[in-house]
Amino acid sequence: MGAPSLNQTLPSFDEMMELAEHNPEAFAQFKKEMCEEMIMSASSEMQDRLWAQQSHIDRVVRHCKNPNHTNIVLMKELSLQMNKFQCALDGDVELDEEIGAQVIPFKPKDTNWG
């Protein structure tokens, strides 16, 4: 059985900007609730990984000085994740040794398809 369907609707950018400027605590709570809803709507197999990723993002953002700094730091994090993903797709074993994963090459049982 799949995860429940989720239909999140965000306020307009201007509304969110105003909330962030005038009530940062309410904005943080709104963001937290939206993230929790999204994670809970994912498959049970993915939820632990998503919680871990959200925890990592929260720790990284906690050290940022302002919204621009946050955007730059999160873009750097996203770029690192995309680079790791690309390395995994390319079969780059060096990255996997760095994080302690064992890569097992895919070897088809039979190369005769017909």
Side-chain angles (χ1 to χ4, degrees), residues 81-93 95-96 103:
Q81 292 296 323
M82 291 303 294
N83 187 37
K84 288 179 182 180
F85 183 61
Q86 186 64 52
C87 287
L89 289 176
D90 291 342
D92 185 357
V93 181
L95 175 66
D96 295 310
V103 176

Side-chain angles (χ1 to χ4, degrees), residues 66-91:
N66 57 54
N68 288 331
H69 185 217
T70 300
N71 286 336
I72 291 168
V73 168
L74 288 177
M75 181 54 97
K76 182 180 174 186
E77 285 292 317
L78 179 59
S79 295
L80 288 171
Q81 292 296 323
M82 291 303 294
N83 187 37
K84 288 179 182 180
F85 183 61
Q86 186 64 52
C87 287
L89 289 176
D90 291 342

Side-chain angles (χ1 to χ4, degrees), residues 2-112:
S5 124
L6 179 69
N7 187 16
Q8 288 184 322
T9 303
L10 293 175
S12 72
F13 177 82
D14 290 333
E15 290 172 301
M16 291 179 69
M17 183 80 164
E18 186 170 327
L19 183 62
E21 285 179 358
H22 298 294
N23 193 345
E25 295 82 17
F27 179 77
Q29 183 62 33
F30 173 76
K31 183 174 71 168
K32 179 181 180 228
E33 290 171 3
M34 294 296 281
C35 290
E36 287 175 358
E37 281 181 31
M38 184 62 66
I39 292 170
M40 294 306 292
S41 74
S43 67
S44 58
E45 294 84 17
M46 286 300 297
Q47 286 183 14
D48 286 342
R49 294 180 79 180
L50 292 170
W51 284 121
Q53 185 66 42
Q54 186 61 49
S55 174
H56 175 71
I57 289 169
D58 291 342
R59 282 192 317 274
V60 167
V61 168
R62 204 170 295 131
H63 298 289
C64 295
K65 296 171 177 62
N66 57 54
N68 288 331
H69 185 217
T70 300
N71 286 336
I72 291 168
V73 168
L74 288 177
M75 181 54 97
K76 182 180 174 186
E77 285 292 317
L78 179 59
S79 295
L80 288 171
Q81 292 296 323
M82 291 303 294
N83 187 37
K84 288 179 182 180
F85 183 61
Q86 186 64 52
C87 287
L89 289 176
D90 291 342
D92 185 357
V93 181
E94 290 179 28
L95 175 66
D96 295 310
E97 291 171 355
E98 175 185 316
I99 60 173
Q102 179 183 6
V103 176
I104 302 171
F106 173 73
K107 294 180 185 174
K109 290 182 180 180
D110 183 10
T111 57
N112 298 328

